[in-house]
Amino acid sequence: DRECALAAVTKHGRALQFVADYLKADRQVVLAAVSTDNIPAFCDDMASLAFAADHLKADREVVLAAIVKDGWALQFAADHLKADKQVVLTAVSNHPRAFTAAAASLQADNNFVLEVVAKNGEALWYIDRKAPMWSEKDFVMQIMQRNRAAFYSLTGRAFSFIDKKAPMWSEKDFVLQIMQLNGEVFSYVDKKAPMWSEKDF
């Protein structure tokens, strides 16, 4: 019964899993469900979007309604929406882990990663630690400049992501600039670099 289903999902979004398949394909029913999700942290893999029909997982409005309530629901969205920058940023803003559900092309996009960390500093923990960007001087400098708070709030552990063997750590100008942003990078500086024999350094 559609009215009973609407009443149920309006009270508890995850009740969507128990309704008939034709109701899981009903846009109004699904919108009501995803808009009332209240997912406890210990079971956030149970977003009601998971139980919606596939065509509704590809519906931008439905997905946006779901991720506003629970960003991690992005994992259940259609692939083209996982590649939608605005959708991903909306999801990450309330659940940093949602970044891991974004399309691979976005996860490898330096500029987009900078936007993500600016939106939610905790997303820093969900960036691929082996990504080439961590050995790129401009990226490391920008991510610190744009969101110093992320590095300070997460303490020096955040620097475990940075490639310690990258050439940038033996470049005097870079080292001086980045140490002004956060002195904890001192431990990453190449101690055998020529700069250590320079008096002005």
Side-chain angles (χ1 to χ4, degrees), residues 67-193:
I67 62 178
V68 164
K69 295 293 291 186
D70 175 24
W72 185 223
L74 180 66
Q75 65 180 305
F76 303 114
D79 288 346
H80 74 278
L81 292 174
K82 292 177 181 178
D84 183 314
K85 290 184 178 181
Q86 190 55 53
V87 170
V88 175
L89 284 173
T90 301
V92 169
S93 67
N94 65 59
H95 203 314
R97 186 182 175 193
F99 185 67
T100 64
S105 59
L106 292 184
Q107 293 191 46
D109 183 326
N110 289 22
N111 291 328
F112 183 68
V113 170
L114 290 171
E115 287 186 66
V116 165
V117 175
K119 179 70 72 172
N120 189 336
E122 291 189 3
L124 182 69
W125 292 106
Y126 297 98
I127 300 171
D128 182 0
R129 299 187 186 196
K130 296 181 180 180
M133 64 186 74
W134 290 112
S135 63
E136 296 176 18
K137 181 169 59 177
D138 289 343
F139 174 79
V140 173
M141 182 68 74
Q142 286 187 64
I143 204 168
M144 289 188 65
Q145 289 175 331
R146 292 193 185 190
N147 199 331
R148 295 192 203 183
F151 278 85
Y152 282 111
S153 65
L154 298 173
T155 74
R157 290 176 299 167
F159 289 101
S160 64
F161 301 148
I162 299 173
D163 183 359
K164 297 179 183 180
K165 297 180 180 179
M168 59 190 173
W169 294 109
S170 62
E171 296 180 20
K172 182 173 69 174
D173 290 343
F174 171 76
V175 170
L176 289 173
Q177 280 184 291
I178 208 163
M179 283 182 66
Q180 289 178 347
L181 294 174
N182 191 324
E184 292 189 47
V185 302
F186 181 79
S187 61
Y188 289 83
V189 180
D190 181 0
K191 302 304 187 294
K192 296 181 180 179

